[in-house]
Amino acid sequence: MKSLFLKFIFIFHIISYSNAQEICNNALDDDADGLIDLLDSIDCTCQGFGYVTNVPSLIPNPSFEQMIACPDNFGQIEYASNWLMASEANQTSYLNTCDYIYNSVVQGGLLPFPDGNGIASAFIQPGWTEYIASCLLQPLVAGQYYTIQLNIATNPILTNSGPGVDVYNNGTISYTALNISLFGTNNCNNLPFSGYGCPPSSSWSLLGDISYTPNGNWTTIRINFVPLTNIAAIAIGAPCILPTSYPNLNQPWCPVFYYDNILLNKTDFFSMVHIGTSGLICSNNLMLIA
């Protein structure tokens, strides 16, 4: 009788152990499937480390919070301290809740902004491509690995809606993915550049780009790059050749792209993982937490 009872207890223990929930941060095989924590890809899916938010940016005023004056109309990007009109396509705008934001921002549900009260906006269409541009706090060094990370959103606007800038077609996005591009130059005096398109190849170079699918919500994107020459100023915006889905100047609407929290620095700043510990190795309870 005693032997039968012990067998029952043993079987019950095995069943209970095998039905246990895996705990993904205790270095134990809780559900007895032979896999522990990070090795248990079924029960412990690693979501990655996400995007960092505390990187010191080599771009001054990266979140458009500092201003020379509060904007009161479109085409006033220079009201945001240290930001410049990039080219002759000169309606790049500074939007701030202190006074002036597009109606399309409210209509598209883009408030609150990712970081603070200010953002930049730029139109992108064939024949009129706007960029946001800034001189850097210190030059990027040739051969060094760098990363730029930023928040981006977009919606279509009515081109004849005046300073109010109303959303077009209820914000339905019909334009396709494009490469958000980072251009650089070795001389800040190359701002602004001439023309209504991308920066001229005689004084600017493409540092890197990333495919962005137009999205009515704020999204974080990141470009990794290695400059071939020292870079003193950057411009961010569309590629030199736009997809055919982008409307020309004869259409009553165009896409507008919004930018915020633009962080630029060496790639190391974006890839550091801080390790914390608890317990003691001699007590067999040491845990490492990234």
Side-chain angles (χ1 to χ4, degrees), residues 18-96:
S18 62
N19 289 335
Q21 176 70 39
E22 180 69 22
I23 300 171
C24 296
N25 64 354
N26 65 353
L28 298 175
D29 184 12
D30 304 287
D31 59 359
D33 63 356
L35 301 172
I36 298 173
D37 294 357
L38 289 178
L39 298 178
D40 195 339
S41 59
I42 298 175
D43 299 305
C44 299
T45 302
C46 181
Q47 300 299 328
F49 296 103
Y51 291 101
V52 295
T53 58
N54 59 346
V55 172
S57 186
L58 297 179
I59 299 173
N61 195 18
S63 289
F64 308 95
E65 295 307 296
Q66 302 164 16
M67 68 179 82
I68 297 171
C70 194
D72 57 13
N73 209 328
F74 60 80
Q76 296 179 339
I77 188 61
E78 68 275 6
Y79 282 23
S81 300
N82 299 111
W83 289 94
L84 305 171
M85 196 66 70
S87 71
E88 293 175 306
N90 58 4
Q91 293 183 6
T92 305
S93 295
Y94 175 41
L95 310 180
N96 196 299

Side-chain angles (χ1 to χ4, degrees), residues 13-222:
H13 177 72
I14 292 177
I15 293 174
S16 299
Y17 190 64
S18 62
N19 289 335
Q21 176 70 39
E22 180 69 22
I23 300 171
C24 296
N25 64 354
N26 65 353
L28 298 175
D29 184 12
D30 304 287
D31 59 359
D33 63 356
L35 301 172
I36 298 173
D37 294 357
L38 289 178
L39 298 178
D40 195 339
S41 59
I42 298 175
D43 299 305
C44 299
T45 302
C46 181
Q47 300 299 328
F49 296 103
Y51 291 101
V52 295
T53 58
N54 59 346
V55 172
S57 186
L58 297 179
I59 299 173
N61 195 18
S63 289
F64 308 95
E65 295 307 296
Q66 302 164 16
M67 68 179 82
I68 297 171
C70 194
D72 57 13
N73 209 328
F74 60 80
Q76 296 179 339
I77 188 61
E78 68 275 6
Y79 282 23
S81 300
N82 299 111
W83 289 94
L84 305 171
M85 196 66 70
S87 71
E88 293 175 306
N90 58 4
Q91 293 183 6
T92 305
S93 295
Y94 175 41
L95 310 180
N96 196 299
T97 56
C98 66
D99 184 33
Y100 178 72
I101 57 174
Y102 292 165
N103 292 338
S104 59
V105 168
V106 178
Q107 294 160 348
L110 295 176
L111 287 172
F113 298 143
D115 189 29
N117 300 314
I119 62 171
S121 71
F123 300 156
I124 294 180
Q125 60 185 137
W128 192 275
T129 304
E130 298 172 356
Y131 294 82
I132 57 173
S134 176
C135 298
L136 302 177
L137 293 173
Q138 64 186 58
L140 306 183
V141 179
Q144 173 67 54
Y145 288 86
Y146 290 94
T147 295
I148 187 169
Q149 176 184 297
L150 57 92
N151 296 112
I152 187 171
T154 180
N155 55 27
I157 59 99
L158 279 167
T159 53
N160 62 353
S161 54
V165 188
D166 290 314
V167 75
Y168 171 76
N169 194 25
N170 296 318
T172 300
I173 294 176
S174 60
Y175 41 101
T176 57
L178 85 168
N179 288 343
I180 296 298
S181 302
L182 175 68
F183 296 89
T185 182
N186 62 1
N187 193 331
C188 201
N189 291 330
N190 291 328
L191 283 170
F193 50 84
S194 60
Y196 303 92
C198 71
S201 58
S202 58
S203 54
W204 290 78
S205 60
L206 176 66
L207 300 177
D209 56 23
I210 186 171
S211 179
Y212 167 68
T213 300
N215 191 326
N217 300 311
W218 287 107
T219 302
T220 303
I221 60 174
R222 182 183 287 179

Side-chain angles (χ1 to χ4, degrees), residues 237-287:
C240 292
I241 299 176
L242 294 178
T244 57
S245 59
Y246 284 69
N248 59 40
L249 295 173
N250 296 322
Q251 298 298 315
W253 69 280
C254 76
V256 61
F257 287 71
Y258 309 97
Y259 304 92
D260 195 12
N261 198 25
I262 304 174
L263 306 178
L264 169 62
N265 214 316
K266 294 180 180 179
T267 299
D268 290 348
F269 282 91
F270 294 84
S271 58
M272 288 187 298
V273 177
H274 301 282
I275 305 297
T277 65
S278 65
L280 298 172
I281 190 169
C282 293
S283 301
N284 200 31
N285 65 349
L286 177 66
M287 291 181 62

